[in-house]
Amino acid sequence: MSRSSRGLAVLASALVAVALTASACSEPETENTVTASDGVTYDLSPEQGGRIHVDKVDEIAAKVPQSIRDRGTLIGTGSTGATPPLGFYATDDKTPIGSEIDLSWLVADTLGLRYERQTADWAQNFVKIDSGENDVFIANVTVTEERKDKYDFATYRLDNVAFEAKKDSGWTVQGRKDIVGKKIGVSSGTNQEQLLVDWNEQNAADGLAPAEIAYYQNTSDYYLALGSGRIGAYFGPNPSAVYHSSSTGETEVIGTFSGAGDALQGEIAVLTKKDNGLVGPIQEALNHVIEDGSYEKVLEKWGLQSEAVSESIVNPPGLPRKAP
């Protein structure tokens, strides 16, 4: 998510551990699954027996560059750490699983290719695309106007951020006035931090008290603060908030907003090197799986139906350029 992606990258493996041990609100069916409070059963196994696959579509596959067709694989890169449900390690601590991996397989299947997943830190993912070492970067990447100078994008999910509070807090956030006087945790350098800062400035102009912003970089720290009542809410990526709240039953999402701010709905997309011939067939593959229902099944598997898109778009308006 642009700067939000760095916020996602600091989510610790505690989320998986919490999901597996929160017996008060969810009971593991086996050591590899957890049934959340909302009824969703998360498969955390390395085998991913429930992974959804589709058949090759010859008409779309024929549009893939010949060199990639000859190779037979779609080589992707991504930052896989503890970021459930997007990309995290299975219970063997080495196999990447999550919604981003499942969606990558849908694209590869449609193109008649085998998906090969590599991992790198956030900055190195871009380097791997620049060098041609990897074909696609599929790991919660937000479309930005700056990135469009070098890369092509095919969208597949909304980019949302969410306020997460203790269960039954009685507080909802529908806009900037709902944060007046509250203490809210956030990771520094993220889109959600900027949104809080902007809202505080607008509220101050209206004579309203600012929210107190508390900064956290580690998952364990901000969830401890939330559980003890030292902060009223944590403002972070929506997918992680959905996963944590449903898998523990101890918190709830009390407000969701575009990660791009008030003026634009941010979008998550497959990133490829500009003009490498891949974005067209990838967009067609995404639209195919949206139409045949397999895309929806993947989002349902990971509890992310609220971030579904009705169609994939190539290079839509992205987050605005930063002021010089």
Side-chain angles (χ1 to χ4, degrees):
M1 282 188 190
S2 182
R3 289 169 294 173
S4 278
S5 294
R6 287 184 287 157
L8 271 174
V10 301
L11 288 172
S13 57
L15 285 181
V16 177
V18 167
L20 290 169
T21 59
S23 58
C25 300
S26 59
E27 187 67 27
E29 294 177 332
T30 74
E31 64 177 3
N32 285 325
T33 64
V34 58
T35 299
S37 58
D38 57 4
V40 175
T41 297
Y42 296 107
D43 178 4
L44 309 181
S45 71
E47 296 80 13
Q48 288 295 289
R51 176 166 286 152
I52 299 157
H53 287 281
V54 296
D55 294 331
K56 176 184 177 182
V57 179
D58 291 336
E59 181 181 354
I60 301 175
K63 299 177 183 179
V64 174
Q66 188 65 50
S67 60
I68 296 176
R69 280 188 279 160
D70 291 344
R71 186 209 302 151
T73 56
L74 183 69
I75 303 176
T77 189
S79 301
T80 302
T83 59
L86 300 175
F88 59 113
Y89 289 111
T91 50
D92 65 355
D93 292 325
K94 64 181 181 181
T95 303
I97 62 172
S99 63
E100 304 288 64
I101 289 84
D102 284 354
L103 285 168
S104 300
W105 268 106
L106 287 185
V107 171
D109 285 346
T110 305
L111 300 179
L113 303 170
R114 178 171 178 79
Y115 184 61
E116 181 180 318
R117 168 82 173 196
Q118 298 180 1
T119 60
D121 64 33
W122 183 252
Q124 282 300 308
N125 286 316
F126 292 97
V127 173
K128 286 175 175 288
I129 296 297
D130 293 342
S131 68
E133 179 181 347
N134 294 87
D135 304 315
V136 291
F137 180 9
I138 307 177
N140 205 55
V141 184
T142 298
V143 181
T144 74
E145 289 302 310
E146 288 177 328
R147 289 175 182 161
K148 282 163 60 178
D149 291 341
K150 291 181 64 177
Y151 309 105
D152 285 323
F153 293 89
T155 61
Y156 64 89
R157 214 182 71 243
L158 299 180
D159 174 12
N160 290 330
V161 291
F163 288 89
E164 185 180 0
K166 289 179 72 173
K167 191 80 170 179
D168 301 320
S169 67
W171 174 29
T172 59
V173 181
Q174 298 179 334
R176 61 182 174 87
K177 293 184 179 180
D178 295 318
I179 70 168
V180 169
K182 300 288 188 177
K183 187 173 183 178
I184 301 169
V186 74
S187 294
S188 63
T190 60
N191 293 337
Q192 52 267 26
E193 178 202 15
Q194 187 59 53
L195 185 57
L196 286 180
V197 170
D198 292 344
W199 279 4
N200 269 348
E201 291 176 353
Q202 293 169 41
N203 284 338
D206 290 343
L208 301 173
E212 181 181 350
I213 301 176
Y215 291 95
Y216 298 91
Q217 297 301 332
N218 298 313
T219 303
S220 56
D221 293 339
Y222 62 70
Y223 279 130
L224 280 173
L226 188 60
S228 67
R230 285 183 284 124
I231 57 175
Y234 183 77
F235 193 26
N238 179 65
S240 299
V242 169
Y243 181 88
H244 179 262
S245 61
S246 69
S247 62
T248 67
E250 298 172 355
T251 59
E252 61 184 350
V253 175
I254 61 170
T256 306
F257 300 88
S258 167
D262 296 335
L264 177 72
Q265 174 58 62
E267 294 199 68
I268 303 298
V270 177
L271 178 151
T272 72
K273 192 172 184 178
K274 201 164 193 66
D275 300 325
N276 70 351
L278 265 178
V279 73
I282 286 174
Q283 180 210 23
E284 290 189 41
L286 285 166
N287 281 326
H288 172 74
V289 298
I290 289 171
E291 291 169 5
D292 76 5
S294 53
Y295 164 83
E296 182 179 2
K297 290 178 182 177
V298 166
L299 294 190
E300 287 178 351
K301 174 184 174 182
W302 297 106
L304 296 179
Q305 304 94 309
S306 65
E307 295 199 339
V309 297
S310 59
E311 66 174 330
S312 176
I313 299 172
V314 170
N315 296 332
L319 271 66
R321 296 179 187 274
K322 299 173 186 176

Coordinates of all heavy atoms in Angstrom, one line a residue, residues 79 105 200:
S79 N 6.8 -9.7 -0.6 CA 7.3 -9.6 0.7 C 6.5 -10.5 1.6 O 5.4 -10.1 2.0 CB 7.4 -8.2 1.3 OG 8.2 -7.4 0.4
W105 N -1.9 -17.6 -8.2 CA -2.1 -18.9 -8.8 C -3.2 -18.9 -9.8 O -3.2 -19.5 -10.9 CB -2.3 -20.0 -7.8 CG -1.0 -20.7 -7.4 CD1 -0.3 -20.6 -6.2 CD2 -0.3 -21.7 -8.1 NE1 0.8 -21.4 -6.2 CE2 0.8 -22.0 -7.4 CE3 -0.5 -22.2 -9.4 CZ2 1.8 -23.0 -7.8 CZ3 0.5 -23.1 -9.9 CH2 1.6 -23.5 -9.1
N200 N -6.7 15.7 11.8 CA -6.4 16.6 13.0 C -6.3 18.0 12.5 O -6.8 18.9 13.2 CB -5.1 16.2 13.7 CG -5.3 15.1 14.8 OD1 -6.4 14.9 15.2 ND2 -4.2 14.5 15.2

